[in-house]
Amino acid sequence: MGVVADSQTVVVPARPAPGGLLSRWLGGMRPAYLPVLLTYFCYGASTITSVALIYFEKDALGLTPAEAAGVAFWVGLPWSMKMVAGVTSDVYPIFGSRRGAYLLLGTLCSLVGYAALATTVSSRGMYLAVSVLITVGFMVQDVVADALSVEIAENDEELGHIQTLGRMALLLGGISVGYLSGVLAARLGTRGTFAVAMLLPLLVAASVAFVRSRRR
């Protein structure tokens, strides 16, 4: 498209379509990215229970600072088993699935843990067991997301792109619930907040439909 002025044609470049601009900004995101990005987002958003956990430990369970620190120690241990979980998902598929089934298994662990916190947990021992179960669930989900990042990438450039988007999703998840965690704890109480957190593993479970199967 041109405009004639003084016998010269000035070329006016066409504006890129908003959808195309967004697609390029997101690096041509494909549906196969959803399980990875939602897993990272929901893990970041799991801090929605941070305020509720403080009050639950103090008011409902009556934990001392030393006891709370002891629980935190055991809750952190599952993350040291990421390599074992990754090898297990590669070597021992569940019903022929090395990614989707393990992603569902991880979401089930977190879902059961949050459900227990929202209903039955009333002692330090139960709280410790349930907290570890939730962490194991998120750890397994993270292992699957890391593996899927490699599998769905067609080259090293796309792999870097997926990893960048994953870190952005993780950060966005944490930021998005920073204020909400306090509001929910104040209005719904601790158990109500844990019930809301059950939506996170359910959201990741829904993304399993986009996991692309790949045979060895």
Side-chain angles (χ1 to χ4, degrees), residues 11 13 39 47 66 87 105 179 192:
V11 178
T39 297
T47 56
V87 173
L105 179 62
Y179 177 75

Side-chain angles (χ1 to χ4, degrees), residues 109-153:
C109 290
S110 297
L111 181 62
V112 170
Y114 281 132
L117 282 176
T119 54
T120 61
V121 173
S122 58
S123 67
R124 178 179 177 273
M126 292 177 61
Y127 176 63
L128 174 59
V130 166
S131 298
V132 171
L133 181 64
I134 293 173
T135 304
V136 168
F138 278 118
M139 182 269 290
V140 172
Q141 294 171 53
D142 185 71
V143 166
V144 175
D146 290 344
L148 284 175
S149 299
V150 177
E151 291 186 357
I152 64 179

Side-chain angles (χ1 to χ4, degrees), residues 2-214:
V3 178
V4 179
D6 296 333
S7 301
Q8 293 182 353
T9 300
V10 179
V11 178
V12 179
R15 291 184 177 181
L21 182 61
L22 180 62
S23 178
R24 285 194 296 273
W25 184 70
L26 292 177
M29 191 177 75
R30 297 183 282 115
Y33 292 7
L34 286 178
V36 176
L37 301 186
L38 282 176
T39 297
Y40 288 134
F41 175 83
C42 288
Y43 176 59
S46 65
T47 56
I48 194 173
T49 63
S50 58
V51 175
L53 285 173
I54 294 174
Y55 285 102
F56 189 72
E57 292 177 350
K58 178 176 177 290
D59 299 333
L61 301 179
L63 298 185
T64 65
E67 290 173 332
V71 171
F73 168 78
W74 290 107
V75 169
L77 283 183
W79 290 105
S80 65
M81 303 296 291
K82 281 188 62 175
M83 183 177 296
V84 176
V87 173
T88 301
S89 67
D90 286 333
V91 178
Y92 301 104
I94 301 176
F95 300 113
S97 173
R98 292 182 172 83
R99 303 298 175 232
Y102 276 91
L103 191 58
L104 286 176
L105 179 62
T107 59
L108 179 61
C109 290
S110 297
L111 181 62
V112 170
Y114 281 132
L117 282 176
T119 54
T120 61
V121 173
S122 58
S123 67
R124 178 179 177 273
M126 292 177 61
Y127 176 63
L128 174 59
V130 166
S131 298
V132 171
L133 181 64
I134 293 173
T135 304
V136 168
F138 278 118
M139 182 269 290
V140 172
Q141 294 171 53
D142 185 71
V143 166
V144 175
D146 290 344
L148 284 175
S149 299
V150 177
E151 291 186 357
I152 64 179
E154 297 180 355
N155 49 55
D156 291 341
E157 182 180 358
E158 185 177 14
L159 175 59
H161 216 49
I162 296 171
Q163 291 174 338
T164 300
L165 290 175
R167 298 302 176 267
M168 291 173 59
L170 179 66
L171 181 62
L172 179 62
I175 293 175
S176 63
V177 300
Y179 177 75
L180 188 60
S181 62
V183 173
L184 290 178
R187 296 187 178 182
L188 301 182
T190 56
R191 295 194 186 273
T193 304
F194 299 144
V196 172
M198 293 171 62
L199 296 174
L200 299 177
L202 290 175
L203 184 60
V204 177
S207 71
V208 172
F210 296 94
V211 173
R212 186 174 64 185
S213 62
R214 175 171 295 186

